[in-house]
Amino acid sequence: MMRYASIRGMEVSRVGIGVAGFGSPHQPPKEAMGILEEFIGLGGNLIDTANVYGNWAGKEGRGSSEKALGAIFRDRPSIRDALLVCTKGAHFELGDKSRTPRVNEGCIKYDIDDSLKNLGVDSIDLYLLHRDNPTYPVWLIMDALFEAQDAGKVRHIGASNWSAARMAEAGGYARSVGREGFAANQIMFSYAHPLAVDSHASRYFMEDEEGGVYVSEGIALLTYTSHARGYMAKVLGGSPISEHMRRLFDCEANRGRAARAAEVAGEVGGGCTAERVGLAYLHALPYNVVTVVGFSSLGQMRESCDCGLELTPEQVMYLRGDDVPPVREPIPW
């Protein structure tokens, strides 16, 4: 059973799917269309992509995720009508080893127009800035987004990988000119706490330090790596863990969390898994949470989209309790 959140008046499924692989040889058009049809049938409506997705394949793959969606929308307008499209822009060029920031008026405008062309749509439902440039004046960034809203190119604006402090600053400026600040921030977070910044991220959500801003500013929390890349399933199943996953998640605290999630899953019964408990935990937090998930099978997507599990306050407290807190690497800026 899908559940829904309200983000600035939009009814958004509590579970969204990431479609970074659309347009690649691993997810050909027929398979991609089948995924979207299945997702819609499960009650889902939020899909997450980005202007930069596919660019790792060089010139041939540039914008391939958005372009694949655009082709589906042209062939099946009913699919477009059933979905809320979230895309992201202003990411640094992937081939740029210095990671030169592109968070400025010109790059924001260029990427929005490019995304509209790739997607073949007149307006983007939720447009997120994929990165921040903390050295750049926030008012110039916000004015560029407001200009896109006024032109009807984007409905709602948000961020990805932004700090709470910068989002609060953006919100303050927005109110000073009679506008709304960010509707959402997409950031790395899962029940198994990330210990280090992923190679594809620049921040993770720090609940104790930043959670209050999401409440006071009315910012929805869009989590990615919501399943912790399958960490709990691998640990509990005794599967090998890659060095990358070990660095990201493996510690005494997260192994304890996996064990407690498995215990709660056993209490729930009916084939409930620790990963399903982990998503239910995120949905039980006192924020407007939408979990963006990836999946390796339609079965995993079906399980993720079943939001019928509601944890009791006692279960949430039990899942939250850590005798040994995770030791995290510091986040750059």
Side-chain angles (χ1 to χ4, degrees), residues 81-262:
D81 293 342
L83 295 172
L84 296 172
V85 177
C86 170
T87 194
K88 303 179 290 290
H91 196 285
F92 56 81
E93 290 289 345
L94 295 187
D96 180 4
K97 293 183 179 180
S98 64
R99 298 190 170 190
T100 305
R102 296 182 61 255
V103 186
N104 57 62
E105 306 95 307
C107 290
I108 290 169
K109 183 180 186 303
Y110 179 88
D111 282 5
I112 288 174
D113 288 342
D114 196 46
S115 290
L116 289 169
K117 180 181 177 181
N118 291 341
L119 292 163
V121 298
D122 296 324
S123 183
I124 296 163
D125 300 302
L126 179 59
Y127 188 79
L128 310 180
L129 295 179
H130 211 155
R131 289 289 187 269
D132 186 18
N133 177 6
T135 67
Y136 206 76
V138 77
W139 68 271
L140 290 173
I141 296 169
M142 297 303 288
D143 278 354
L145 294 173
F146 295 152
E147 182 179 337
Q149 281 186 310
D150 292 342
K153 295 179 179 181
V154 302
R155 292 177 58 195
H156 300 285
I157 59 173
S160 181
N161 302 298
W162 276 49
S163 71
R166 275 281 279 185
M167 290 191 299
E169 183 184 356
Y173 171 71
R175 287 188 292 274
S176 76
V177 294
R179 305 293 293 244
E180 289 185 327
F182 289 146
N185 185 42
Q186 188 179 104
I187 197 162
M188 185 179 180
F189 191 55
S190 56
Y191 172 59
H193 281 170
L195 310 175
V197 175
D198 194 358
S199 58
H200 303 299
S202 60
R203 300 189 62 81
Y204 38 62
F205 175 55
M206 299 183 294
E207 184 178 359
D208 292 341
E209 296 90 341
E210 300 189 324
V213 172
Y214 286 78
V215 176
S216 63
E217 293 287 327
I219 297 171
L221 175 61
L222 271 58
T223 66
Y224 65 86
T225 64
S226 304
H227 280 309
R229 299 191 181 278
Y231 168 78
M232 290 198 297
K234 287 183 170 60
V235 166
L236 294 168
S239 300
I241 299 174
S242 68
E243 183 57 36
H244 181 63
M245 180 173 284
R246 190 179 305 280
R247 178 174 176 267
L248 279 179
F249 296 107
D250 199 31
C251 66
E252 185 178 350
N254 280 336
R255 285 180 175 263
R257 286 194 158 210
R260 292 198 297 280

Side-chain angles (χ1 to χ4, degrees), residues 46-68:
L46 181 71
I47 54 171
D48 175 68
T49 184
N51 187 257
V52 76
Y53 289 169
N55 290 11
W56 42 76
K59 185 178 179 180
E60 298 301 319
R62 194 169 186 89
S64 58
S65 175
E66 290 183 333
K67 290 175 181 176

Side-chain angles (χ1 to χ4, degrees), residues 253-297:
N254 280 336
R255 285 180 175 263
R257 286 194 158 210
R260 292 198 297 280
E263 186 178 337
V264 171
E267 294 173 0
V268 173
C272 183
T273 65
E275 289 198 333
R276 187 177 174 209
V277 169
L279 283 191
Y281 174 84
L282 296 181
H283 293 153
L285 293 174
Y287 313 105
N288 195 14
V289 177
V290 170
T291 50
V292 177
V293 301
F295 51 90
S296 58
S297 70

